[in-house]
Amino acid sequence: MPIKFYSSPSLVDISLTKRCNLRCSYCYASAEPEVDKNDELTLCELSALFNNLDDINTHRISLSGGEPFVREDFFDILSLTQKHKFAKIINSNGMLIKEDEAKKLRNFDFDRICVTIDGSNSVVHDFLRGDGSFEETIEGILHLQKNRLPVSTLYTLTNDNVNDLINTIKLNESLGIEYMSVMVMCPTGRASEGKNLLTHDVWYPLFLRLSEMKANGEVKLNFKIVPPNESRIFWLFYYPLKHYDRLDLLSTWNQNLEDINIDRDISCQAGKTACSIAHNGDVYGCDLMMGIGDFKAGNIRELSIIDIWKHSPVFAKLRDLQFSELKGKCSSCQNMWCGGGCRSSAFNLANDILGSDDSCFEQGDPHGD
């Protein structure tokens, strides 16, 4: 039997603020410039949190938002992390990283800073993230590179920018970026209505082309696609390749149908191997669950992260979910490699944590043809 949950979270995503200099259409946190900062965790509270995470041997933290550089004390927060052994990642839109900020970052030890680029040009990127954001994001990346800082990029994949993905890979390569991650949009936050979810008519031919490019060595950077579900095989990969009778290309993405056994579990890792902490101290299983009351596991202003991780009834519920309990189309799915998809997606689309994740293409692609 697989382990139900880790004795401590391997990864903790920490949202330092809900404030942001942008208002992206797909934002899971619904961040924006006008948000009040009064309920943000203080330096003292963050220091205690970092101590607790170190005590329980958390391997990695990410500092995000909103936009973390909006916080006037961001570099003080970064200073607090320096005495701890966990790996440190910064997630940013890059726009507030000018020359001075990049120089300051040289004084700190962190593993990388991830900057979001959602298109290969201002037309695509700015449509999703706001006028003028593309140019300022590129400038931020150049400042980081000039100061020899470890920078990688994120790309939030939606139906609005899917056709620009290959061009954006080429842009990253031209910038000298070594690592690029594609985060597939989940129907939560401002995207909860699911209007911008990928449709099969657009994604299938694009993914086949991308798989062929990887197989032929045409993609030079380290590149990965991260869907919001953690199944052993990603349906985002499986169904397009099955459609074209090219399941042999799954190995290009380090996935193998032959590795599947008969043990079928809920694959969502929220509250099992990782968790997320909101700007006000609320704790959730993952970023995509933030702001959803049913998924709130506690608050670090009331209980330590150690107590919440070990004793939260919400986390206990997430850990005890059984595939046999799922409702809707997922309950009759015959694909043994699938663990039921993203529970946040299921909740937002079916209004039930045990519902079906209807963003799956097996569910009939309700947003496409």
Side-chain angles (χ1 to χ4, degrees):
M1 290 293 291
I3 298 173
K4 284 290 186 181
F5 67 99
Y6 287 0
S7 59
S8 63
S10 177
L11 166 66
V12 177
D13 292 309
I14 304 170
S15 175
L16 298 177
T17 180
K18 201 173 181 181
R19 291 177 288 153
C20 187
N21 52 321
L22 295 176
R23 195 178 189 278
C24 302
S25 60
Y26 56 74
C27 181
Y28 69 83
S30 300
E32 55 187 318
E34 295 80 15
V35 173
D36 190 350
K37 66 179 182 180
N38 290 329
D39 60 348
E40 294 173 355
L41 293 172
T42 66
L43 287 175
C44 184
E45 290 169 327
L46 287 167
S47 179
L49 170 63
F50 297 149
N51 287 335
N52 284 335
L53 293 176
D54 218 6
D55 288 342
I56 60 175
N57 198 32
T58 293
H59 297 164
R60 180 163 50 106
I61 70 164
S62 70
L63 302 176
S64 61
E67 169 53 47
F69 284 89
V70 166
R71 282 195 60 150
E72 298 81 357
D73 58 355
F74 175 68
F75 287 102
D76 296 322
I77 295 171
L78 201 52
S79 293
L80 293 175
T81 69
Q82 297 303 287
K83 67 178 181 179
H84 299 295
K85 60 181 180 290
F86 45 65
K88 308 152 190 76
I89 298 168
I90 303 169
N91 292 314
S92 172
N93 59 43
M95 295 173 61
L96 301 180
I97 303 175
K98 309 302 181 184
E99 181 65 25
D100 286 346
E101 285 72 24
K103 287 181 178 178
K104 287 181 181 178
L105 285 170
R106 291 169 56 181
N107 298 317
F108 299 94
D109 173 42
F110 57 91
D111 287 71
R112 67 180 184 272
I113 180 166
C114 303
V115 178
T116 300
I117 301 179
D118 280 342
S120 66
N121 55 64
S122 59
V123 175
V124 179
H125 179 97
D126 289 6
F127 175 77
L128 291 167
R129 301 180 69 81
D131 292 344
S133 58
F134 178 76
E135 182 177 344
E136 291 189 54
T137 295
I138 297 299
E139 289 177 357
I141 290 174
L142 295 177
H143 288 311
L144 292 167
Q145 291 177 322
K146 179 182 177 181
N147 286 275
R148 298 182 180 180
L149 293 163
V151 55
S152 61
T153 64
L154 298 175
Y155 183 93
T156 306
L157 186 66
T158 77
N159 224 43
D160 292 320
N161 66 354
V162 60
N163 284 322
D164 198 41
L165 175 55
I166 291 176
N167 285 336
T168 307
I169 293 172
K170 294 177 179 178
L171 169 66
N172 276 271
E173 290 175 342
S174 72
L175 290 170
I177 299 295
E178 294 184 18
Y179 298 93
M180 175 183 176
S181 296
V182 175
M183 311 300 290
V184 181
M185 191 196 77
C186 179
T188 191
R190 292 198 192 103
S192 59
E193 294 181 2
K195 294 179 180 178
N196 294 330
L197 292 178
L198 293 178
T199 54
H200 65 74
D201 56 323
V202 176
W203 176 243
Y204 280 28
L206 186 281
F207 185 71
L208 175 64
R209 172 63 182 137
L210 190 56
S211 299
E212 291 172 338
M213 288 176 63
K214 276 182 63 68
N216 296 332
E218 296 177 52
V219 179
K220 305 303 181 184
L221 48 65
N222 290 292
F223 175 82
K224 65 179 180 179
I225 299 176
V226 186
N229 68 86
E230 295 90 355
S231 293
R232 295 162 183 166
I233 302 294
F234 297 154
W235 65 59
L236 200 70
F237 299 177
Y238 176 85
Y239 288 112
L241 296 181
K242 180 184 179 184
H243 177 78
Y244 294 110
D245 196 24
R246 290 304 311 273
L247 285 174
D248 58 293
L249 289 173
L250 274 175
S251 61
T252 302
W253 303 95
N254 298 318
Q255 299 198 340
N256 189 345
L257 286 169
E258 295 179 0
D259 293 338
I260 305 306
N261 57 41
I262 61 174
D263 291 330
R264 195 167 191 181
D265 306 292
I266 296 292
S267 57
C268 176
Q269 296 301 296
K272 298 179 182 177
T273 63
C275 67
S276 295
I277 302 175
H279 67 288
N280 63 352
D282 288 342
V283 180
Y284 299 89
C286 75
D287 286 353
L288 301 175
M289 294 177 172
M290 279 193 182
I292 303 175
D294 293 60
F295 291 128
K296 179 181 171 182
N299 187 289
I300 62 169
R301 285 172 166 156
E302 301 167 0
L303 292 171
S304 73
I305 185 62
I306 302 171
D307 289 334
I308 294 171
W309 181 259
K310 291 182 176 180
H311 305 299
S312 168
V314 171
F315 281 169
K317 182 177 181 179
L318 289 171
R319 293 162 183 168
D320 289 341
L321 292 178
Q322 303 295 317
F323 194 91
S324 59
E325 297 176 306
L326 295 186
K327 306 170 185 177
K329 296 179 180 179
C330 280
S331 63
S332 58
C333 176
Q334 299 303 305
N335 293 317
M336 296 302 296
W337 46 260
C338 183
C342 171
R343 291 299 90 204
S344 178
S345 177
F347 185 88
N348 281 288
L349 294 173
N351 197 34
D352 189 343
I353 192 175
L354 292 172
S356 291
D357 183 350
D358 286 339
S359 64
C360 173
F361 291 131
E362 177 71 3
Q363 307 303 327
D365 192 12
H367 305 285
D369 295 330

